[in-house]
Amino acid sequence: MSKRTAHVFAVTLALVGCGGQDPQIGPQGPVGPTGATGATGATGATGQPGSSGAPGAPGAVGPQGPSGSARTLAFTPVNAALSPTEKQSVYATPKITIDGREITTAYRTELRSGQSLGNEIFGRLVKKNGQPVLAADNSQFISNYADFSSLLKVGTKIFEVTHFETTPAAMYLTELTQDANGALTPVSTRPIDFSSVEGLWTPCAGSVSPWNTHLGSEEYPSDARAFENATQVSQLGSADRGMLRYFDLDPATATIAQAKAVYTPYRYGFLVEVAVDAGGATTVKKHYAAGRRALELAYVMPDRKTVYLSDDGSNDGLYMFVAKTAGDLSEGQLYAARWFQPARRTAAPTSTGSRSDRAPPTRR
């Protein structure tokens, strides 16, 4: 067989092999696993703001409020004092007009420093032993710096507690009577004994507590470090030297050892409370837990626990004392206001409270 014949035969065989019935389609295979999530597409452009809705219908008119009543207060003018005599006189407006109604007023002197009442002289300073404080020439010290007076009604009696802003200081209890027109007249006076707390230091403003006691203050306490470092009395401040007289020491002749044996600045700079009973007996307390500072004023809030304390020093602070028990200022928590000034001076500063956990100073 030639090569050409063999080739044709092979092709024929191949054609014959493909010739039978069409094969059947097999069953569909199982679904393959899910492919990996594609990358997140780019964020589309922000849509345009929607148009404003139509205004709502006006609400119904509210009911008519109650009629207000304007109140007015006016004082009849008082001419300025010009002459020396006028400048030494006391002036008060003769009339006050309240809501169109005139009320006659007048200034009435109740009691003056140096005035005798019974066996006492109002405003006279006394030592720890109750005897008058004497100057180098043996003259008595009479303070004319009455800074605050409390009026306390106890039972059927009226008492006035007056403190004098000197060092050593004085505080007087005066019993008053009141007539039908309201005028007060002193019938007796006496100095209050502060020997249990080693005397009183430069009391300034005061207030009446909600439980009817006199709340005083002791401002500008002495520099205790300077006192401790002093080696002679002449190095002490003038108030320190003045306080020595309370302990019957003459600052001109006393030694520093004598001064330090009886006096220490740590006893002063506190909230002072004086209670008066119906018989005129007084109870004196200094509230050390409320802190030591140049106390100007202590004012108790209606809750009888919260007390705001202002400071009369330079660049000092505002304090809040919260008593543990209402009506008792001997124990509690002291806070100081902290102020934060923003960088811009035109912005208002903010404030917050800062709790003080310091123990009260030791009494010496």
Side-chain angles (χ1 to χ4, degrees):
M1 185 179 294
S2 66
K3 291 181 178 180
R4 179 173 183 174
T5 304
H7 177 74
V8 171
F9 180 76
V11 170
T12 303
L13 288 176
L15 293 173
V16 172
C18 290
Q21 295 180 351
D22 292 336
Q24 298 297 317
I25 299 175
Q28 184 171 344
V31 178
T34 303
T37 303
T40 303
T43 303
T46 302
Q48 296 297 318
S51 57
S52 301
V61 177
Q64 177 75 31
S67 300
S69 58
R71 306 203 65 182
T72 60
L73 173 65
F75 296 88
T76 301
V78 177
N79 294 328
L82 299 177
S83 68
T85 302
E86 291 174 340
K87 293 178 181 179
Q88 295 175 8
S89 302
V90 177
Y91 288 84
T93 181
K95 290 182 181 180
I96 301 175
T97 304
I98 303 176
D99 298 336
R101 182 170 61 95
E102 286 190 348
I103 300 175
T104 301
T105 61
Y107 183 96
R108 183 174 181 271
T109 301
E110 177 192 293
L111 197 59
R112 286 188 178 275
S113 295
Q115 181 177 335
S116 296
L117 192 62
N119 296 323
E120 297 291 347
I121 299 177
F122 186 64
R124 178 170 59 184
L125 307 187
V126 296
K127 295 180 287 189
K128 184 177 180 179
N129 60 15
Q131 297 300 309
V133 173
L134 301 179
D137 61 357
N138 286 326
S139 62
Q140 299 181 5
F141 281 95
I142 307 296
S143 175
N144 61 354
Y145 289 95
D147 199 278
F148 177 76
S149 293
S150 294
L151 285 177
L152 308 175
K153 186 172 183 181
V154 185
T156 59
K157 295 183 178 181
I158 301 175
F159 295 99
E160 182 177 64
V161 179
T162 305
H163 60 220
F164 292 82
E165 190 177 349
T166 52
T167 308
M171 189 178 293
Y172 271 74
L173 177 71
T174 304
E175 185 176 343
L176 308 169
T177 59
Q178 187 173 35
D179 64 20
N181 295 320
L184 297 171
T185 302
V187 295
S188 66
T189 191
R190 64 172 176 83
I192 296 175
D193 183 8
F194 271 79
S195 61
S196 63
V197 290
E198 303 298 333
L200 180 63
W201 174 286
T202 321
C204 196
S207 64
V208 177
S209 73
W211 48 92
N212 202 40
T213 59
H214 173 95
L215 294 181
S217 56
E218 291 182 305
E219 68 174 359
Y220 303 134
S222 174
D223 185 340
R225 186 184 299 275
F227 173 80
E228 291 177 349
N229 294 335
T231 57
Q232 52 188 358
V233 172
S234 60
Q235 295 173 339
L236 302 179
S238 59
D240 293 296
R241 297 196 303 272
M243 197 66 194
L244 295 182
R245 297 184 185 278
Y246 179 75
F247 300 97
D248 204 20
L249 291 179
D250 185 346
T253 59
T255 66
I256 192 66
Q258 290 174 321
K260 291 186 177 182
V262 297
Y263 164 73
T264 172
Y266 293 106
R267 296 187 183 120
Y268 313 102
F270 300 101
L271 168 59
V272 178
E273 182 175 13
V274 177
V276 184
D277 67 16
T282 56
T283 302
V284 173
K285 294 180 181 179
K286 289 188 181 182
H287 294 299
Y288 305 102
R292 179 175 182 262
R293 65 182 65 78
L295 180 60
E296 175 70 16
L297 176 65
Y299 197 86
V300 184
M301 296 292 101
D303 66 356
R304 300 164 64 94
K305 296 176 67 175
T306 305
V307 186
Y308 287 101
L309 305 149
S310 59
D311 196 312
D312 200 25
S314 299
N315 300 316
D316 281 302
L318 175 65
Y319 304 89
M320 180 179 70
F321 177 72
V322 180
K324 181 179 180 180
T325 305
D328 180 2
L329 305 182
S330 61
E331 182 180 1
Q333 184 64 56
L334 178 63
Y335 299 83
R338 292 193 302 168
W339 298 88
F340 299 89
Q341 176 64 54
R344 292 181 59 191
R345 294 184 179 181
T346 56
T350 58
S351 67
T352 185
S354 176
R355 175 171 144 170
S356 171
D357 289 313
R358 293 182 302 171
T362 302
R363 293 180 61 181
R364 297 187 178 180

